[in-house]
Amino acid sequence: MYKNPLLQQIIFITLGSCCSLPCFAYQAEMNVQYENAALQQFSELDTVNVNGQFFPNAVINKFGPLAESAFLNNASNIGLHYSYGQGDLEKNLNNYLTSLDTKIGIIGLSAEYFIPSTAFYLAASVSHYEETLKGTRTYTGTEEVDEESEGEYSPMSARMARMINVDDVIAKNTQERIDQSKNNTGYAFEAGMKPLKNLLVTVGLTNKHLDPQKALNQGFSSTYHDALGITEDTALMLRSKYVANFGSIGANFEAKSYFAEENLYNLNADVYLSPTLKIGAFFSDSSNRNVSTIMNYKIQKFISPSLAFSLNYSDSKDQDSYGLSTTARF
């Protein structure tokens, strides 16, 4: 059919390149994740994270890990993110039984811009966070009281009863209702550059930002855990990302630090055993003594250039969780 030798050679090279790594161009990506977290001294928290990104220019899958296509293409994008969590939490401490129904909702908007024909990069994101807690707090212990004070029991009369003749022991079962809500709007802004083709370094500011996109990448409980590690309203943020190739194996290294009243440190490493398969580990630690070190492990497999599935697991002294997610590109 094609008698032109040059044309035949061009077609052969093109098809050969596509066979070595599936050729696929996309302008939108959607991620959906479910996560179940078991919290220390509490019960469970179930969350769903949804993330959608649009790329004004088509992202073409070139040689390299499929998961890093957008980064390797310097693909500017805008994104919309949403996270929802719900759980029945129960804690028994110091004879107080606290039973809560908690609901968490986060919506976020983000944008990344690789300035054309330059090495410079800009990123910004904003998120709104809402949490409601409804339930009861019940004292389940016992107090020593005498017969006269039994009918008019109060914490004060109980203390007085200990100072006089004590004749009996009764159970205290007083209960109070809990109906609390909190919300805040946070932001993050970064500016940086790519001094090397596959290396990005940035500096920025963040303020009370709970990023649903980060929740999708490293798990909701890990992201919430990180937010607790920074107690200052505004934190200085430093970040770097590097994608490397070692023969047939690729790797992604990321580091992020937050400096405020308390400091927070994140490290992430992914190894691409093939362009379609990666395994990774995430580490987070804080100078805040009330926040424990956390580890997160993830495996992702592209079963086609447009569809991938992931499994991640997080573990710390305070909680452990697992998540399942899918990625679709259009």
Side-chain angles (χ1 to χ4, degrees):
M1 179 177 178
Y2 299 103
K3 296 183 178 180
N4 188 322
L6 180 59
L7 182 59
Q8 288 179 341
Q9 196 171 27
I10 294 174
I11 294 174
F12 176 80
I13 293 174
T14 303
L15 291 176
S17 299
C18 291
C19 291
S20 62
L21 185 65
C23 285
F24 182 73
Y26 64 95
Q27 280 192 268
E29 178 175 303
M30 175 167 284
N31 302 275
V32 179
Q33 180 193 62
Y34 164 77
E35 182 179 274
N36 174 270
L39 311 176
Q40 186 185 41
Q41 297 180 325
F42 284 78
S43 53
E44 294 183 333
L45 179 67
D46 295 298
T47 58
V48 175
N49 305 306
V50 181
N51 167 43
Q53 287 179 288
F54 172 74
F55 302 88
N57 299 315
V59 180
I60 302 174
N61 179 46
K62 300 180 179 180
F63 292 96
L66 271 71
E68 303 292 348
S69 296
F71 176 76
L72 296 176
N73 276 261
N74 291 346
S76 300
N77 63 85
I78 56 174
L80 181 64
H81 324 286
Y82 180 71
S83 295
Y84 176 80
Q86 183 173 1
D88 297 319
L89 310 183
E90 191 169 282
K91 183 176 182 179
N92 196 338
L93 183 64
N94 298 330
N95 290 326
Y96 281 95
L97 176 64
T98 304
S99 299
L100 296 173
D101 174 43
T102 181
K103 294 181 180 179
I104 300 172
I106 310 168
I107 186 167
L109 186 65
S110 68
E112 289 184 296
Y113 184 54
F114 293 87
I115 301 176
S117 303
T118 74
F120 296 104
Y121 165 91
L122 296 172
S125 59
V126 62
S127 66
H128 182 73
Y129 167 88
E130 292 186 357
E131 180 178 353
T132 60
L133 298 171
K134 293 185 178 182
T136 59
R137 185 171 182 262
T138 306
Y139 184 79
T140 58
T142 59
E143 293 286 356
E144 295 178 338
V145 298
D146 65 2
E147 293 180 356
E148 293 183 1
S149 62
E150 179 178 346
E152 53 180 0
Y153 173 78
S154 70
M156 179 61 72
S157 63
R159 288 192 292 270
M160 293 296 293
R162 295 191 184 95
M163 301 173 63
I164 59 178
N165 296 326
V166 176
D167 299 323
D168 202 359
V169 176
I170 66 169
K172 175 188 176 187
N173 192 25
T174 58
Q175 186 180 88
E176 62 177 308
R177 298 289 301 175
I178 298 176
D179 189 351
Q180 300 177 352
S181 64
K182 59 181 179 180
N183 65 82
N184 69 265
T185 300
Y187 68 84
F189 173 80
E190 293 178 275
M193 63 180 302
K194 296 182 79 172
L196 301 176
K197 180 179 179 181
N198 295 346
L199 172 65
L200 173 68
V201 290
T202 71
V203 60
L205 296 175
T206 182
N207 179 289
K208 297 181 180 179
H209 186 45
L210 191 56
D211 188 355
Q213 185 177 21
K214 185 178 179 182
L216 182 75
N217 293 333
Q218 70 179 56
F220 182 88
S221 58
S222 296
T223 303
Y224 189 83
H225 177 280
D226 277 358
L228 296 177
I230 310 172
T231 57
E232 186 74 16
D233 287 350
T234 303
L236 174 67
M237 181 171 54
L238 303 178
R239 180 169 70 99
S240 63
K241 176 182 174 69
Y242 179 62
V243 177
N245 289 313
F246 305 98
S248 60
I249 297 178
N252 169 55
F253 302 102
E254 296 183 53
K256 182 180 288 189
S257 299
Y258 303 83
F259 301 98
E261 180 181 339
E262 300 288 352
N263 301 327
L264 179 70
Y265 309 97
N266 292 168
L267 295 174
N268 180 77
D270 301 307
V271 176
Y272 296 93
L273 302 177
S274 73
T276 62
L277 176 64
K278 83 167 181 180
I279 56 174
F282 171 86
F283 169 83
S284 177
D285 195 17
S286 172
S287 62
N288 189 340
R289 294 183 178 182
N290 297 320
V291 178
S292 59
T293 301
I294 193 165
M295 289 293 302
N296 179 278
Y297 308 94
K298 184 174 184 178
I299 181 170
Q300 183 185 53
K301 173 63 178 178
F302 276 85
I303 61 174
S304 75
S306 60
L307 185 63
F309 293 95
S310 303
L311 172 67
N312 72 279
Y313 172 75
S314 296
D315 177 63
S316 77
K317 183 179 67 175
D318 302 318
Q319 59 88 22
D320 65 88
S321 65
Y322 68 87
L324 302 170
S325 63
T326 182
T327 299
R329 292 171 171 176
F330 311 93

